[in-house]
Amino acid sequence: MKISATLSALLLLLFGAACAHAQEAGHGGHAAHASHAEVDGDADHKPHGSGHHRFDDADAWAKTFENPERDAWQRPDEVLAALAISETAVAADIGSATGYFPVRMARLASGGRVWGVDVEPDMVRFLNERARKEGLANLFSILGTFESPLLPEPVDLILMVDTYHHIEARPAYFRRLQSSLKPGGRIAIVDFKMGEIPVGPPESRRLAPEVIDGEMREAGYTRLTLDQELLPYQYLAVYGLDEGPTEKAQPEE
């Protein structure tokens, strides 16, 4: 499986234009989560990908990914509040880049752990150094591959921001992710709406929620919630594992 450029996954007006330019060059958050790529339209970093634009200068990209202007439309605090991350949660951000979401997640899950996953070694290096500087002993950044985030333990929540549409062979990818979820674990997908919006990739590269629903069902998940009002340019869809019908015990011969 591959993702277009390192995410998980940035900006409006001038900022958005600059980001959009970066996007055309190539977010990958880990496999899409090479970073929250696309903040702008794919300028965010994308994780797995082949032939993707490199985001190997994390210090330089941080000026774009962490630009405060992004907060106005990305609304990270509102997104995380909607996901109700507990203090003891174990969570992961696939496509973590310089830590826009993982740092906030780590502060909420102060008694748990947060794993930032990216396919760019310099993004991993940057986020680990940032966690150390900001005193976030519960935040760790790891290097994923195009096929797997290589999470070291099952998690309660996997967040993918502006990354889903970068992943190829998505049903197979998400079937593999099942083993990385705890019982009752969730996958939260934030991606761009259809129609005219000032950020994000071209509409031809976006996916409507119903398309994601179908692919996630194929991968063994059920949609738990869909919020299309929380964010101006993106929707938030949350999925859980489909337990399926309970099999009745077969009578003994």
Side-chain angles (χ1 to χ4, degrees):
M1 136 172 191
K2 307 182 272 185
I3 292 183
S4 62
T6 284
L7 285 59
S8 22
L10 289 158
L11 311 162
L12 222 39
L13 299 173
L14 248 210
F15 181 61
C19 280
H21 177 70
Q23 153 190 6
E24 291 308 317
H27 158 55
H30 101 92
H33 254 278
S35 100
H36 289 152
E38 236 132 18
V39 148
D40 57 323
D42 258 354
D44 211 69
H45 184 89
K46 280 134 196 118
H48 312 308
S50 69
H52 64 273
H53 181 72
R54 295 302 304 273
F55 288 80
D56 51 5
D57 187 347
D59 295 278
W61 280 107
K63 297 174 183 177
T64 295
F65 298 160
E66 305 299 327
N67 190 318
E69 293 182 33
R70 179 183 178 185
D71 298 353
W73 58 270
Q74 187 65 84
R75 300 178 183 174
D77 295 332
E78 287 89 336
V79 169
L80 297 181
L83 295 175
I85 297 175
S86 73
E87 184 178 353
T88 58
V90 180
D93 178 346
I94 297 180
S96 52
T98 54
Y100 185 80
F101 271 99
V103 165
R104 291 173 169 86
M105 293 165 70
R107 289 173 180 149
L108 292 172
S110 58
R113 281 178 302 286
V114 173
W115 300 95
V117 183
D118 206 293
V119 294
E120 288 285 359
D122 201 46
M123 291 294 180
V124 173
R125 185 271 311 166
F126 182 97
L127 183 50
N128 278 324
E129 290 184 359
R130 181 177 180 184
R132 190 161 51 249
K133 291 175 182 176
E134 298 189 23
L136 297 171
N138 62 329
L139 173 57
F140 310 89
S141 185
I142 59 176
L143 188 67
T145 70
F146 300 139
E147 291 73 30
S148 172
L150 301 179
L151 289 169
E153 63 178 330
V155 300
D156 299 295
L157 173 71
I158 292 174
L159 175 63
M160 306 181 84
V161 178
D162 307 335
T163 291
Y164 184 91
H165 65 274
H166 289 286
I167 300 173
E168 295 183 7
R170 290 183 286 265
Y173 178 81
F174 283 91
R175 278 194 292 271
R176 287 193 293 271
L177 267 189
Q178 290 188 16
S179 61
S180 293
L181 285 176
K182 290 183 179 182
R186 300 170 295 158
I187 295 180
I189 297 170
V190 176
D191 225 305
F192 291 101
K193 297 176 180 177
M194 307 302 287
E196 289 190 23
I197 54 176
V199 296
E203 187 171 20
S204 62
R205 291 170 54 192
R206 299 179 226 152
L207 296 170
E210 53 267 28
V211 174
I212 295 181
D213 282 354
E215 294 179 344
M216 292 297 280
R217 277 197 302 270
E218 184 179 346
Y221 298 84
T222 298
R223 191 181 75 196
L224 304 177
T225 62
L226 173 63
D227 191 332
Q228 302 193 70
E229 304 300 324
L230 179 66
L231 303 172
Y233 311 128
Q234 300 153 299
Y235 52 84
L236 167 63
V238 181
Y239 297 86
L241 281 174
D242 183 2
E243 301 300 333
T246 302
E247 294 188 8
K248 294 182 179 180
Q250 297 297 315
E252 295 182 5
E253 296 294 337

